[in-house]
Amino acid sequence: MARLLLSKAADAVKLQRFVSPQQLRCFASSVAEADNALVFKAKQQLAEIQAAGTFKVERQIITPQAASVGVLDLAQPVLNFCANNYLGLSNHPLVVEAARKALDTHGYGLSSVRFICGTQDLHKQLEARISAFHGSEDTILYPSCFDANAGLFEALLGPEDAVISDELNHASIIDGIRLCKAKRFRYKHMDMIDLEHKIMEAEDAGARLKLIATDGVFSMDGDVAPVGDIVALAHHHGAQVFTDEHCNVLGQVDIINSTLGKALGGGTGGYTTGKADVITLLRQRSRPYLFSNSLAPCMVAASIAVFDLLSSSSTLRDSLQENTDYFRRQMAAAGFSIRPGSHPIVPIMLGDAALANKMAAAMLEKGVYVVGFSYPVVPKGTARIRVQLSAAHQREHLDKAIAAFKDVGKQLGVIE
């Protein structure tokens, strides 16, 4: 902004030599009108968002991320049921300690992209750990999974190729696909018949390489993609498969992207893992990798500690599944409309955006922090409260949340 203002000022000084004061005033007025037009448009759109009841407020958490958190201006801590902290690792002492030690041994930041002077031994160690975890040949780290998705399709696909995408894929997958020049086909959500039709359409269009792209878990609904069925179709038609964040068919998916910012510690970072030649090509051509600073050493060290924990025990995963099964069972018995499944993302379907926001506010008053989701995050008419379970939740946390949902649900006419 400062540079823009200096530029405008310099333009005005130059114009003084050639134009009259009246013309100069007209120039200044046109600049002001352009600025005001932008502000006017923003205000107009904000008013529309508020009128639709979809304006999003960012509450300020004043404690570490955990099952219970402190929120600014609230007298008491609240139970947190809206974080991606599925395994409860965001503030795990071993993860925090690993990050703290790395600050002493490897510093805070690298001030460089990877290929210049931004690769430390920690980065290569983490990439090797991720590859071993997935049973893949190699891995490339990104600042986020959004960056991993943004950098994948453009680097690998050309006009002679085709990408076949689930209609409910995450925004980062959609944006990544938009950046590439491949032919695009979209199949109905988790519909294997329609997927096969779209694969055949791509074949008829002469596609050289056919890449099927799907979320592993669809974050707004908790739907788990039928990756095994997708792989079978891909093998039958000579296509490749890309999944984001989840894969229950080890060794059979060509490319997997995932994040270090959810279950795996909740910090920052993402990655792509797969065949060595594919990863090497991404190192050479993936723009978010080539033009973004390296992941901070403390984040890398903390992520290594996360994979150490997951490789040594399944206790956290077992606790998460137990909590998920219990919560889903109790909420369904209470009469709430929830999407079926076994994932710790549990959408409480309400339909109306204003109702979702009102319910979230009432739940917060009862000490339970949840968030209402509505258009454009989810399709119109499908507003919901998205509950996210964690291994860090204790049974009493679950019971308090369920009781609060029942009380609020009855007050708002959601259940009888």
Side-chain angles (χ1 to χ4, degrees):
M1 177 59 76
R3 182 178 297 175
L4 178 61
L5 291 174
L6 288 172
S7 175
K8 290 178 180 178
D11 289 342
V13 171
K14 292 176 183 176
L15 282 171
Q16 284 179 340
R17 303 175 186 174
F18 308 105
V19 302
S20 68
Q22 183 179 1
Q23 290 173 316
L24 187 60
R25 284 193 296 273
C26 289
F27 169 77
S29 176
S30 66
V31 170
E33 287 177 4
D35 288 344
N36 289 339
L38 177 61
V39 173
F40 176 78
K41 182 176 182 179
K43 287 183 176 179
Q44 189 177 42
Q45 292 184 1
L46 286 171
E48 292 171 358
I49 294 171
Q50 290 173 329
T54 59
F55 188 86
K56 299 165 187 62
V57 177
E58 298 179 358
R59 293 191 177 90
Q60 298 179 46
I61 294 177
I62 55 176
T63 62
Q65 188 66 272
S68 176
V69 295
V71 178
L72 187 67
D73 297 329
L74 293 184
Q76 299 295 327
V78 294
L79 294 179
N80 189 357
F81 281 87
C82 56
N84 298 317
N85 187 24
Y86 300 112
L87 296 177
L89 294 173
S90 295
N91 195 40
H92 193 286
L94 294 179
V95 176
V96 173
E97 182 60 23
R100 184 179 292 114
K101 286 182 178 178
L103 288 170
D104 294 331
T105 60
H106 288 72
Y108 169 68
L110 288 165
S111 303
S112 175
V113 298
R114 287 283 298 269
F115 78 93
I116 298 178
C117 58
T119 297
Q120 292 180 323
D121 55 340
L122 287 176
H123 294 93
K124 301 307 291 185
Q125 290 170 22
L126 177 56
E127 287 171 342
R129 292 302 304 276
I130 294 171
S131 298
F133 184 80
H134 284 284
S136 57
E137 294 180 2
D138 199 4
T139 297
I140 179 174
L141 292 173
Y142 288 89
S144 70
C145 191
F146 204 113
D147 285 318
N149 286 337
L152 179 78
F153 302 96
E154 182 186 25
L156 299 182
L157 304 177
E160 67 279 10
D161 302 318
V163 58
I164 306 155
S165 176
D166 188 294
E167 65 180 354
L168 294 187
N169 273 340
H170 190 271
S172 60
I173 299 176
I174 295 170
D175 286 357
I177 291 172
R178 285 173 176 167
L179 292 172
C180 79
K181 296 180 180 179
K183 301 173 183 67
R184 304 170 195 173
F185 300 86
R186 186 172 64 175
Y187 65 94
K188 296 176 183 177
H189 180 49
M190 300 200 315
D191 186 327
M192 295 301 97
I193 294 175
D194 193 46
L195 171 57
E196 185 163 31
H197 288 162
K198 294 302 186 293
I199 295 173
M200 291 188 289
E201 286 181 27
E203 292 171 342
D204 293 340
R208 179 194 63 176
L209 186 155
K210 303 179 291 294
L211 181 64
I212 303 167
T214 181
D215 265 314
V217 174
F218 294 83
S219 59
M220 285 299 112
D221 300 311
D223 293 340
V224 178
V227 180
D229 295 338
I230 293 172
V231 167
L233 278 176
H235 288 172
H236 181 71
H237 289 276
Q240 279 70 48
V241 177
F242 157 85
T243 64
D244 183 319
E245 290 196 358
H246 174 87
C247 175
N248 54 10
V249 188
L250 291 178
Q252 298 185 54
V253 171
D254 300 279
I255 304 169
I256 299 172
N257 279 9
S258 194
T259 178
L260 302 172
K262 293 183 180 179
L264 302 179
T268 60
Y271 61 84
T272 298
T273 191
K275 297 291 185 182
D277 287 341
V278 172
I279 301 304
T280 300
L281 180 59
L282 291 174
R283 292 190 195 279
Q284 301 300 311
R285 289 187 175 175
S286 182
R287 292 168 70 85
Y289 179 81
L290 292 170
F291 296 101
S292 297
N293 262 15
S294 300
L295 200 57
C298 59
M299 304 305 303
V300 178
S303 297
I304 293 172
V306 166
F307 280 96
D308 287 342
L309 284 166
L310 296 182
S311 300
S312 64
S313 171
S314 64
T315 300
L316 293 176
R317 282 171 285 179
D318 295 340
S319 296
L320 176 61
Q321 193 60 61
E322 183 179 340
N323 286 346
T324 299
D325 293 343
Y326 179 78
F327 184 84
R328 282 180 170 275
R329 191 166 56 248
Q330 295 297 319
M331 289 293 285
F336 286 99
S337 174
I338 64 173
R339 290 183 65 91
S342 59
H343 196 271
I345 294 173
V346 186
I348 313 301
M349 304 305 294
L350 300 170
D352 181 70
L355 176 60
N357 289 337
K358 185 181 293 186
M359 184 173 223
M363 290 291 291
L364 190 65
E365 292 179 0
K366 290 184 172 292
V368 179
Y369 188 4
V370 291
V371 174
F373 286 87
S374 55
Y375 180 82
V377 179
V378 297
K380 288 184 178 180
T382 66
R384 79 280 307 266
I385 299 288
R386 185 180 70 173
V387 177
Q388 293 168 277
L389 284 306
S390 171
H393 288 134
Q394 303 299 314
R395 181 58 61 88
E396 57 265 29
H397 298 153
L398 303 180
D399 287 338
K400 179 177 178 178
I402 293 164
F405 266 115
K406 289 179 179 179
D407 288 344
V408 174
K410 291 176 182 178
Q411 292 171 15
L412 297 178
V414 176
I415 60 173
E416 297 180 356

